[in-house]
Amino acid sequence: MQYGWLFFSCCLTTLLRPFYAFTSIPPSRQNGHNALKMSSSAARDLLYQDQQAAMGRRAIIEQELLSRKKLKELKAPKMKAAPAASGTGFGGGNKKATPMERLATEQAKIIHRDGVLRINNALSERRADSLREYVLEQKELATVETDKNVEMSQAFYGVENQRKCRVDLQLSLLKGGYAADAGGDASQTESHIVADVLQEVLGEGGTLRSIYENLVTLEGEFYELATLITDPGSDRQQIHPDLPFKDIAPLYVIFLVLQDVTEDMGPTSFLLRTHTATENAKFHDYSQKDDQLANADCRLATLKKGDAVLFDARILHCGNANHPDTGSTRAVFNFSFRNPKIRDDLGYAGSIRPGYIGAMTLRDVSDALAAYSAGEEDPFAKYGDGLCKR
């Protein structure tokens, strides 16, 4: 999840603009034009490869800087909800806060302080197993469809779709998933695993519902819905925030792992308390950046199946390399909600199908899950397959 590639793409487009100046090409020049198109495509690929190689070299340097301090695991804090008090519910008034709301208040304090929070057992192991099997099947379907038509890539993949052994698989909210795309027949699908998972974490009494209400309220925009999948051989990322800095936290992100994650599988590293203006300024000052990394409090998210990390998207972090020999496929369910206090552009295109962009808030997701709980088989049907922009 790096927005640097977007800047690079803009520069590349400017560089190659002369190649795209032809609007009407006589038949006698078609062969030359096709060769030109191939040449510009090859140039684009070479520049992309050069950028990736440079980023890889920098990632190794950063890894060495972080290794100067003893590596620590990101652990879930031992927390107890504060005592109940009148008028402390998220809605205010005379309502007493529930135990989950009081716990969320304590969790939010840690997120505001450290920029990241580990939450154990956010999803049951049974659901994690089912979702992992499902998303890996969806990945195979996406491969088939994009092999037939490369222009479909944006419907299936997010910001990571061009990386080695790494994809961000954008999920459908319809029962049947990709089989239901464009009105496809998903009648043989028995369960709605995505709705089941969202119900467990965001439905009434869900494990992550209260903390999200605390951070973004029910008006927070449903900004991402995907699964990050890395295979053995995927490279280490450069350290990065997910988006340009803003004074108010603009986005809160969930990484929920669908299997135990070992060091060899490339877990995410988080640099605690780097979500502030001061730390952001250091990161973008090359005279301070290396010292910042060498002295950072870096934590490794080696999570157990069903555990999650919730983080402020401004925090510095990176995915580590999935070892080519001793690693294994790592699947991470990913969703986020945008802070409604931020109204301008985030400078970051989240991983979500185009038709779901701006379509739902936490309240809308909650209403759909309530309908699902009441017996509605396909609670997000009115939002469609998300293939086309609304």
Side-chain angles (χ1 to χ4, degrees):
M1 294 185 175
Q2 290 175 283
Y3 63 89
W5 171 241
L6 297 177
F7 174 76
F8 175 77
S9 298
C10 292
C11 294
L12 180 62
T13 300
T14 301
L15 179 66
L16 296 176
R17 189 168 291 147
F19 290 120
Y20 305 131
F22 302 97
T23 56
S24 179
I25 303 170
S28 61
R29 296 175 59 191
Q30 287 292 328
N31 290 338
H33 174 63
N34 289 338
L36 183 59
K37 286 174 64 178
M38 292 174 64
S39 175
S40 63
S41 177
R44 193 160 45 237
D45 288 343
L46 285 172
L47 285 170
Y48 176 77
Q49 291 168 19
D50 285 346
Q51 191 222 26
Q52 292 301 299
M55 290 171 65
R57 291 190 293 270
R58 175 60 191 175
I60 296 302
I61 293 171
E62 293 175 347
Q63 184 176 28
E64 191 279 326
L65 290 168
L66 292 178
S67 69
R68 294 180 186 181
K69 296 180 71 173
K70 184 178 179 180
L71 187 66
K72 296 180 181 178
E73 182 183 21
L74 179 67
K75 294 186 177 181
K78 295 179 180 179
M79 303 178 63
K80 294 182 70 174
S86 177
T88 58
F90 299 148
N94 295 320
K95 175 187 173 184
K96 284 189 177 181
T98 67
M100 290 294 287
E101 288 174 339
R102 298 200 305 274
L103 177 61
T105 297
E106 299 306 308
Q107 291 174 321
K109 291 177 183 178
I110 294 176
I111 294 170
H112 295 322
R113 183 192 70 196
D114 293 343
V116 61
L117 171 70
R118 175 172 176 168
I119 302 172
N120 289 343
N121 303 310
L123 185 67
S124 64
E125 290 192 7
R126 179 173 63 88
R127 287 265 192 263
D129 287 339
S130 296
L131 182 57
R132 189 177 195 276
E133 180 181 3
Y134 170 81
V135 296
L136 293 179
E137 289 174 351
Q138 296 293 286
K139 181 187 175 188
E140 293 304 315
L141 290 175
T143 299
V144 171
E145 293 301 318
T146 53
D147 282 348
K148 290 190 294 187
N149 180 6
V150 70
E151 293 182 359
M152 289 295 294
S153 293
Q154 287 301 312
F156 294 107
Y157 304 118
V159 294
E160 300 287 357
N161 64 309
Q162 297 188 62
R163 293 187 180 278
K164 177 184 175 185
C165 302
R166 180 186 184 98
V167 296
D168 247 12
L169 193 67
Q170 297 175 155
L171 299 177
S172 170
L173 282 166
L174 292 182
K175 184 178 181 180
Y178 297 158
D181 280 352
D185 182 11
S187 60
Q188 301 303 311
T189 304
E190 295 183 1
S191 63
H192 194 334
I193 183 58
V194 173
D196 288 338
V197 169
L198 291 176
Q199 180 75 281
E200 191 169 324
V201 297
L202 292 175
E204 189 68 29
T207 55
L208 304 174
R209 170 64 175 272
S210 291
I211 182 58
Y212 264 117
E213 280 197 50
N214 182 294
L215 294 171
V216 302
T217 76
L218 286 170
E219 305 313 313
E221 179 188 335
F222 194 32
Y223 202 76
E224 293 178 287
L225 178 67
T227 299
L228 167 64
I229 303 172
T230 66
D231 292 315
S234 68
D235 294 328
R236 189 182 188 279
Q237 290 181 306
Q238 275 188 270
I239 295 167
H240 63 279
D242 276 344
L243 35 68
F245 185 80
K246 294 185 182 295
D247 290 328
I248 298 174
L251 192 70
Y252 290 100
V253 185
I254 279 288
F255 280 179
L256 194 159
V257 302
L258 305 182
Q259 66 288 299
D260 291 354
V261 176
T262 66
E263 287 190 33
D264 286 347
M265 293 168 69
T268 306
S269 291
F270 292 94
L271 280 57
L272 300 192
R273 306 186 185 188
T274 56
H275 58 303
T276 66
T278 299
E279 293 300 319
N280 182 266
K282 289 180 183 178
F283 185 70
H284 288 96
D285 181 347
Y286 287 102
S287 68
Q288 300 185 70
K289 183 174 183 176
D290 285 358
D291 284 342
Q292 177 193 35
L293 300 185
N295 292 289
D297 187 355
C298 180
R299 304 297 174 94
L300 195 63
T302 43
L303 309 181
K304 297 296 185 183
K305 183 193 304 183
D307 293 350
V309 287
L310 174 56
F311 63 96
D312 180 330
R314 299 174 298 177
I315 194 173
L316 298 179
H317 63 283
C318 69
N320 288 281
N322 195 324
H323 195 282
D325 299 320
T326 57
S328 59
T329 297
R330 178 179 67 119
V332 182
F333 185 49
N334 163 222
F335 63 86
S336 66
F337 285 90
R338 173 180 173 144
N339 190 337
K341 293 180 181 178
I342 303 297
R343 299 188 179 278
D344 57 341
D345 183 58
L346 297 189
Y348 166 66
S351 294
I352 193 167
R353 288 192 132 188
Y356 298 146
I357 296 173
M360 286 166 273
T361 63
L362 179 55
R363 186 186 304 278
D364 296 321
V365 173
S366 175
D367 289 345
L369 294 174
Y372 186 59
S373 182
E376 175 62 52
E377 290 188 2
D378 209 354
F380 296 98
K382 71 177 182 179
Y383 300 104
D385 55 27
L387 285 173
C388 300
K389 291 183 178 180
R390 297 170 69 87

